[in-house]
Amino acid sequence: MTVTSLHLWINGQRTLSQGSRMADVFNPASGEVIRRVPLASRRDIDAAVMAARAAFPAWRETTPLRRARILTRFCELMEQHRDELARLASEEHGKTVLDAVGSVQRGIEVIEFACGVPHLLKGEHAEDVGRGVDCHSMLQPVGVCAGITPFNFPAMVPLWMFPVAIACGNTFVLKPSEKVPSCSLRMAELFKDAGLPDGVFNVVPGDKEAVEALLEHPDVGAISFVGSTPVARHIYETAARNGKRVQALGGAKNHAVVMPDADMAFTADALVGAAYGSAGERCMAISTVVAVGEAGDRLLPLLRERAAQIRVGRGDTADVGMGPVISQAHRERIVDLIGSGVDQGAELVLDGRGIDVAGGERGFFIGPTLFDRVSPDMDIYREEIFGPVLIVLRADSFDAAVHLINANPYGNGTAIFTGSGHWARRFENEIEVGMVGVNVPIPVPMAFFSFGGWKASLFGDLHMHGMEGVVFYTRTKVVTRRWPAPAERTDSSLAMPTLG
C-alpha cells in the first residue's frame, strides 16, 4: 500500500520539518505502516511559537464576538467533516468508527461552549466600593498557549483545549501524539477554512524533544496536558519551574461500586460498555468493579456473558464492538499484566489472550478479559492497565468500598450503581474523586462543566473546558477607579486607604 508523508502546520500552512526525524504511523488493526509523520525539532517548535507570538497581538484585539463567529463557522465545518475525522481516528487509533464518531461529537460540544465566549469573558463590576470609587474585573488572554495530547482520542482531547484557549484571545501550539497526527492536522485546515488568521493555531506532531522544547520555551505562557501520571508530574514540575501555568491530567484507576440493590442487568450492560469500549483505552474507562455483599455473585455471570459476546475486529467493520489496542508493545504489556494476575492468584473468568481475528493476524488485538477475586496488592489492581481488562474486587460493606477507592492514589472518575438515594448521596459526598456517576458508568461532564480528577490524576489547580478552562486560559485584572470632582481636594496621607 502507499504510505503517505504528512507535514507540520505552522503559520496557516503545511510546513516541512527543519529536522530529519520521521515516525511511522500504524494502522493497529493490520499492523501496517500507513503514514509517516515528521517529528518536530526544537527549531520547528520555535518556528511554531514565533508564529503564534506574532499572531497574538491582532488576535487579542479581535473582539470576542468576531472570535465567536469564526468558532461558529469552525463548528459547522467540524459537523460537516465529523465522519471523515472519525475515520481518521479509527484508522490510526483502532477504535470503531461508531465510537470515534461519538468522541468527535463530544469534542464538537466544547467548540459549541466556546462559541459563547462574549458571555464567558464578562467580568464583575461593583459601584461605590468606596465613596465615589468603582471596581471592575477583566479577563484577558495569557498569550501563547500549548497543548500536549495523547493517542487515545485524536480529536476529542485536543478539542478540550484549543477552542477555549483561542476563544479567550490566546494563540495556540498543539503537539499531538505522533501515533495519531492526522485528526489534528485536518482540524487545523478546517479552522483556517473557517476564517482563523494564520499563526493563531499551529500543529507540530512530535515526541519528547518537542515536549521539552515547549516546556522550556520562554514565550509559552500556559501548558495543557493529558497522559500518564509520571509524564503529567514531569510536565507540571518542569513547566512550573519555567514560570508557566499548567494543567496536567494524569492516569486513572476508575472504580464502580455495585450495591446489592442495583439493577444487575442494567449494571452489567453499563459496565461492559465502560470497560471494553475503545479497547479500554479511555482515561475514564471503568477498569475496576467493587461488588458489595451479594452483588458480586449475581453480577459476575452477567458480565462474563456480555463480555464474551463482544465481537473483536477492525474498527471500520460493521458489527464489530471492539478494535485493537494502539501498538504491539502496548499489547504485550497488557498480556504480561494478565499473566501477573493469574500468577498472583486472581480468578481469570474470561481470557482475551490469543484471540483470533480474521484478516487481523498482524494486528494488535486482545480480547475482553475479566478477573474476579482480585485483591488490592495485585499488579492488575495497582497499575493502570489501559486495555480491555475488567477486574472485580469484593467488599463486605459500602464503607469498605468507599475506603478502598479513597485509599487508591488515583482520583479521576468513579461510579455507583444502586437504587438507593441514601447510598448515592453518601457516595457523592464521601468519595475522593473528581468526577462521579450515579448509575452512569462514564461520568464525562458536558462541555459547560469542567473535566478533571483529583490526587495523582491531576497536577495543577484547574480542570479542562467549562468555566475552569476559561479561568485557566485568562488572567484576571482588577481596576479600581475614582473620578474626583474638579474642586475636590484631599489632604496627603501615608495611611493605608480604606476607601469606605
Side-chain angles (χ1 to χ4, degrees):
M1 66 176 295
T2 302
V3 178
T4 305
S5 292
L6 299 176
H7 52 270
L8 310 178
W9 183 269
I10 298 175
N11 203 26
Q13 61 185 347
R14 298 179 183 183
T15 305
L16 295 175
S17 173
Q18 299 181 58
S20 59
R21 298 185 307 132
M22 301 284 289
D24 292 334
V25 178
F26 289 87
N27 181 332
S30 65
E32 296 175 308
V33 176
I34 54 175
R35 296 180 184 96
R36 302 201 77 217
V37 64
L39 296 175
S41 66
R42 284 185 174 268
R43 292 171 62 193
D44 295 321
I45 295 298
D46 189 58
V49 174
M50 291 303 98
R53 188 180 73 174
F56 173 64
W59 186 244
R60 176 188 57 201
E61 295 304 317
T62 301
T63 64
L65 182 59
R66 170 66 177 160
R67 292 183 220 143
R69 287 170 179 163
I70 294 173
L71 281 159
T72 299
R73 288 197 290 271
F74 177 51
C75 191
E76 292 169 353
L77 288 173
M78 287 289 294
E79 290 278 6
Q80 293 170 20
H81 293 269
R82 183 190 63 184
D83 292 348
E84 173 195 350
L85 291 164
R87 286 192 296 272
L88 288 173
S90 174
E91 190 176 37
E92 293 183 350
H93 171 263
K95 65 178 76 217
T96 67
V97 172
L98 182 63
D99 184 32
V101 167
S103 69
V104 175
Q105 189 63 48
R106 290 304 299 267
I108 290 172
E109 291 167 2
V110 181
I111 309 174
E112 293 172 334
F113 166 76
C115 288
V117 69
H119 171 72
L120 302 174
L121 292 181
K122 291 191 300 186
E124 298 175 313
H125 177 81
E127 293 184 351
D128 289 327
V129 296
R131 190 175 66 179
V133 178
D134 303 330
C135 195
H136 73 273
S137 64
M138 299 184 290
L139 300 178
Q140 297 187 326
V142 174
V144 178
C145 301
I148 301 165
T149 56
F151 67 81
N152 58 328
F153 286 101
M156 185 180 75
V157 173
L159 288 167
W160 288 353
M161 303 174 184
F162 73 82
V164 179
I166 289 172
C168 291
N170 302 283
T171 55
F172 206 87
V173 177
L174 173 65
K175 195 227 70 78
S177 168
E178 71 278 11
K179 294 180 174 66
V180 291
S182 294
C183 276
S184 293
L185 292 166
R186 184 68 180 116
M187 288 190 293
E189 294 173 342
L190 294 175
F191 217 165
K192 179 171 183 174
D193 292 344
L196 189 73
D198 292 347
V200 174
F201 183 47
N202 307 273
V203 180
V204 282
D207 58 5
K208 189 175 188 296
E209 179 178 335
V211 170
E212 296 301 322
L214 286 170
L215 297 181
E216 297 167 5
H217 203 292
D219 291 316
V220 174
I223 296 279
S224 299
F225 171 81
V226 174
S228 68
T229 286
V231 179
R233 181 180 286 109
H234 171 74
I235 295 283
Y236 177 75
E237 292 173 351
T238 306
R241 188 167 59 246
N242 284 292
K244 308 180 192 312
R245 57 174 57 186
V246 196
Q247 51 180 189
L249 276 60
K253 196 71 178 180
N254 302 321
H255 302 68
V257 172
V258 180
M259 298 299 293
D261 66 350
D263 180 327
M264 291 301 165
F266 170 84
T267 301
D269 288 336
L271 292 177
V272 166
Y276 302 117
S278 202
E281 291 178 327
R282 293 171 175 160
C283 64
M284 287 291 283
I286 289 294
S287 61
T288 304
V289 173
V290 185
V292 176
E294 64 182 23
D297 291 338
R298 295 165 54 203
L299 181 65
L300 251 295
L302 302 178
L303 291 177
R304 188 191 188 286
E305 175 189 13
R306 286 158 172 75
Q309 293 173 355
I310 295 172
R311 184 182 174 196
V312 180
R314 294 181 62 100
D316 58 359
T317 303
D319 300 325
V320 163
M322 193 180 87
V325 296
I326 188 65
S327 67
Q328 181 62 23
H330 188 48
R331 182 190 179 280
E332 291 171 358
R333 176 181 176 274
I334 296 168
V335 168
D336 288 345
L337 281 166
I338 294 172
S340 77
V342 175
D343 293 343
Q344 293 171 10
E347 180 183 334
L348 184 58
V349 178
L350 185 64
D351 190 351
R353 297 173 294 181
I355 188 170
D356 183 20
V357 176
E361 291 78 12
R362 295 175 57 197
F364 313 137
F365 291 100
I366 185 165
T369 299
L370 178 63
F371 278 101
D372 191 17
R373 306 289 178 181
V374 175
S375 61
D377 60 327
M378 296 179 181
D379 290 342
I380 54 173
Y381 178 76
R382 292 188 298 106
E383 295 197 28
E384 182 183 23
I385 300 173
F386 217 63
V389 180
L390 180 62
I391 64 175
V392 179
L393 289 80
R394 306 298 185 105
D396 294 333
S397 66
F398 171 86
D399 288 334
V402 169
H403 176 77
L404 175 73
I405 297 171
N406 287 347
N408 193 276
Y410 296 110
N412 203 46
T414 188
I416 186 170
F417 288 85
T418 180
S420 166
H422 168 75
W423 296 125
R425 191 170 188 276
R426 278 196 60 190
F427 190 76
E428 292 172 9
N429 282 282
E430 295 176 23
I431 210 69
E432 297 172 7
V433 175
M435 292 171 284
V436 180
V438 176
N439 298 317
V440 174
I442 305 179
V444 176
M446 294 297 289
F448 39 85
F449 284 88
S450 297
F451 180 102
W454 289 9
K455 300 189 287 189
S457 296
L458 174 72
F459 297 86
D461 299 316
L462 293 169
H463 295 161
M464 291 188 177
H465 60 69
M467 278 310 300
E468 288 193 52
V470 173
V471 172
F472 179 77
Y473 289 121
T474 56
R475 296 182 293 185
T476 302
K477 181 181 291 183
V478 179
V479 178
T480 304
R481 62 188 177 190
R482 165 183 280 155
W483 296 105
E488 182 179 349
R489 296 181 58 184
T490 59
D491 295 330
S492 297
S493 173
L494 301 183
M496 180 68 187
T498 60
L499 297 181

